[in-house]
Amino acid sequence: MAMKVGANAIKSPNVQPPFNLHTTLALNFNFKPSASPSIRKTLRICRSSLVNQQQASFTDQEKQLIDALIGIQGRGRSASPRQLNDVEQAVQVLEGQDGVGDPTSSDLIEGRWQLMFTTRPGTASPIQRTFVGVDLFSVFQEVYLRTNDPRVSNIVKFSDWIGELKVEVPYPVPFRLLGDEAKGWLDTTYLSLSGNLRISRGNKGTTFVLQKKTDPRQTLLAAISTGTGVREAIDEFLSLSKSESKDEPVLLEGEWQMIWSSQVETDSWLENAGNGLMGSQIVKNGQMKFLVNVLPGISFSMIGNFVKSGTQTYDVTMDDAALIGGPFGYPLEMETKINMELLYNDDKIRISRGYNNILFVHLRTSDGSK
């Protein structure tokens, strides 16, 4: 990404636009090093700090946007129409709020921003198509303009031990020398007063959500997506949640997709399915249902009942199992008894300890109202 200034100031390559920022940012992942000696594309194999992941301060309206982002994988690639609509509504609410005026002239625009969401993660340049929609990598933008060497950098972080790919762009940007590859811009439509959240819209209709600091749930989900430090992230998340809330967790209704467990699945898919080690759970009217798609058109279903047995524990008995194929079902003789300990639960994430003392993380994909 690179800063963009008024169009009249960059018509000639010999005319440098004044160092006067407007409320737009140019988006570009197609810079060619051969286009200009002033453009440097470097691969830096180094360790670097991530976006500050300490607990951030967000307004109620900003929290609504973050809630809408929870559970969307691939920075928007896997978003359902309902999820996209929820994000767009939350974005529009914030765009109607009083954020930082003239955001790209504010000191708050500077720093390292993490890309959390885009409405078109797979339709832009080859680099964007390769990296932006993959949760295994983190995508950042660094904005540092109030220095003797002002620069905007796009960063793909592979891991702490591999390092990152960094594309640096000097400011002002020689757009004319870069040609059509560099054309594109982002209008910064919202910058939070805390400087932690930024919304931008591109000239092709793309919406971007970036954050300097992440919500604890986002930090946890990022660890699960990359498969690194998950147990530590869970422990830290649970410790933080206990210090903030004294309310007793309640098992909420809805469809819950398992995204992580502390035990690797066994060789028997039937055992995995019957013990809740795969697939989703549907909680409704005092009943729980395990549902696993086995093959196209064939699913495993197991239904049981649960009762609250303690402050945060439930006794679950699953005893009605079947293989389902279209309108037909083949009953299976199975029974599973589980003492579920609910460690954390909100309307998006559930952390529990279940069968054989295994730790589970579930994402709520539906509230069960439909």
Side-chain angles (χ1 to χ4, degrees), residues 195-216:
N196 292 329
L197 179 67
R198 191 177 98 208
I199 299 171
S200 297
R201 293 196 185 257
N203 60 316
K204 296 182 180 179
T206 308
T207 301
F208 298 86
V209 178
L210 303 98
Q211 293 175 224
K212 281 184 183 174
K213 297 181 181 179
T214 54
D215 177 272

Side-chain angles (χ1 to χ4, degrees), residues 22 43 55 160 192 195 252 297 308 316 341 365 370:
H22 292 245
L43 175 64
Q55 187 180 11
D160 282 341
S192 67
L252 297 180
K308 191 164 187 178
V316 182
E341 181 183 6
T365 58
K370 295 183 180 180

Side-chain angles (χ1 to χ4, degrees), residues 63-85:
K63 289 178 181 177
Q64 289 179 3
L65 173 56
I66 291 174
D67 283 344
L69 297 178
I70 295 294
I72 297 180
Q73 297 178 326
R75 281 172 281 270
R77 181 186 290 274
S78 67
S80 67
R82 179 185 61 82
Q83 289 174 318
L84 290 174
N85 182 66

Side-chain angles (χ1 to χ4, degrees), residues 216-217 220-221 224 230-231 233-239 241-242 249-251 256-257 259-262 312 314 340-346 348-354 358-364:
R217 294 173 299 174
L220 171 60
L221 293 178
I224 292 174
V230 179
R231 291 297 295 262
I234 290 175
D235 290 342
E236 184 176 350
F237 178 82
L238 291 176
S239 176
S241 65
K242 286 179 181 179
V250 177
L251 187 59
W256 297 83
Q257 179 68 41
I259 60 172
W260 184 85
S261 75
S262 59
Q312 57 188 54
Y314 292 80
M340 176 189 290
E341 181 183 6
L342 201 59
L343 302 176
Y344 176 85
N345 197 82
D346 63 22
K348 290 286 186 176
I349 294 179
R350 187 178 83 201
I351 303 176
S352 62
R353 201 180 303 277
I358 297 172
L359 198 61
F360 294 89
V361 180
H362 287 80
L363 270 180
R364 195 185 195 195

Side-chain angles (χ1 to χ4, degrees), residues 60-133:
D60 290 341
Q61 290 80 10
E62 291 167 357
K63 289 178 181 177
Q64 289 179 3
L65 173 56
I66 291 174
D67 283 344
L69 297 178
I70 295 294
I72 297 180
Q73 297 178 326
R75 281 172 281 270
R77 181 186 290 274
S78 67
S80 67
R82 179 185 61 82
Q83 289 174 318
L84 290 174
N85 182 66
D86 290 345
V87 172
E88 178 61 24
Q89 288 185 355
V91 164
Q92 289 182 9
V93 168
L94 287 176
E95 289 176 333
Q97 301 290 314
D98 291 330
V100 174
D102 195 11
T104 51
S105 293
S106 169
D107 289 342
L108 293 176
I109 200 73
E110 299 210 341
R112 173 173 271 212
W113 294 89
Q114 182 170 358
L115 178 64
M116 308 303 297
F117 174 85
T118 173
T119 52
R120 303 172 67 189
T123 58
S125 72
I127 292 182
Q128 283 177 286
R129 287 194 296 270
T130 302
F131 299 119
V132 172

